[in-house]
Amino acid sequence: MSEITAITPQIKDKTRCNVFIDGRFYCGITLEAAMKYRLKAGQAVSEEFLDTIQSESEKGAALDKALTHISAYSRTEKEVRRFLRQKGYLSSVEEYVIEKMKSYGFIDDTAYAKAYALSALKRKGRKLIGYELCAKGVSKEDIEAALNEVYCGDVDDSATSDGLVTDERRAAEAIAEKFMRSKPADRKTLAALYRRLISRGFPADTAKEIAEKYRAEIAENED
């Protein structure tokens, strides 16, 4: 048996509390459940007992909270899992919620990756988009599928010399145009432009070609 050493209210959710056993955090439960089962510090309990309390009383509440969490913005499976863990839900409740949301179509990393890539297409390069999706927990397979569809799907333009469709090139050129507005095409400015494009996830060759293009245009005008 273990001992409940503390029960503290959650800072971000006043309807829930954190339960500590043997001096360590164990789980979060609703205040209603804590009162119903008369949990208190110093009480001897088993982990199985606490698991049962949370599993029985909180599956519906956890699902409702997760659905509210994604109501404003779509989330990946990893992000929803992180949200549930921060709330203190046990793995059994977490798995129940994830499976329910997948069955309802509220979690779909494949669709999320495509939508994210389409949204970021005009502001970021393929490399950065892929990195951000990876950080969100999207699988490499889903990332590659999304990027290939976005860049090589229904696009009429031919591929550039570095293998990228011109949508990415146009995005880089648009960013460069905005950056170079009212700036001299000197070495320092072009170096800054190169770094800006690299930081946005565009290939080094593309960044270099665009910077050189501005240098060449200035040289032509001066002649």
Side-chain angles (χ1 to χ4, degrees), residues 214-223:
Y214 276 95
R215 189 192 304 277
E217 288 178 355
I218 296 296
E220 288 179 5
N221 292 335
E222 290 178 348
D223 291 341

Side-chain angles (χ1 to χ4, degrees), residues 108-116:
D108 185 340
D109 282 2
T110 301
Y112 180 95
K114 181 181 177 181
Y116 188 92

Side-chain angles (χ1 to χ4, degrees), residues 170-188:
R170 282 203 299 268
E173 289 174 345
I175 291 172
E177 181 181 354
K178 182 178 180 180
F179 179 84
M180 292 297 295
R181 198 169 296 159
S182 301
K183 292 186 178 72
D186 54 30
R187 179 176 297 181
K188 182 178 179 180

Side-chain angles (χ1 to χ4, degrees), residues 42-53:
Q43 180 179 348
V45 294
S46 67
E47 294 184 1
E48 290 76 17
F49 176 64
L50 292 176
D51 291 354
T52 300
I53 291 176

Side-chain angles (χ1 to χ4, degrees), residues 77-120:
E77 179 179 337
K78 179 180 178 179
E79 290 173 323
V80 176
R81 286 185 181 277
R82 182 189 300 122
F83 169 78
L84 293 170
R85 289 169 189 168
Q86 289 173 342
K87 289 292 184 181
Y89 292 112
L90 297 172
S91 59
S92 59
V93 176
E94 178 185 317
E95 292 303 326
Y96 169 83
V97 172
I98 293 298
E99 289 306 313
K100 280 291 185 182
M101 294 182 74
K102 283 184 175 181
S103 69
Y104 295 152
F106 292 122
I107 292 180
D108 185 340
D109 282 2
T110 301
Y112 180 95
K114 181 181 177 181
Y116 188 92
L118 282 170
S119 175

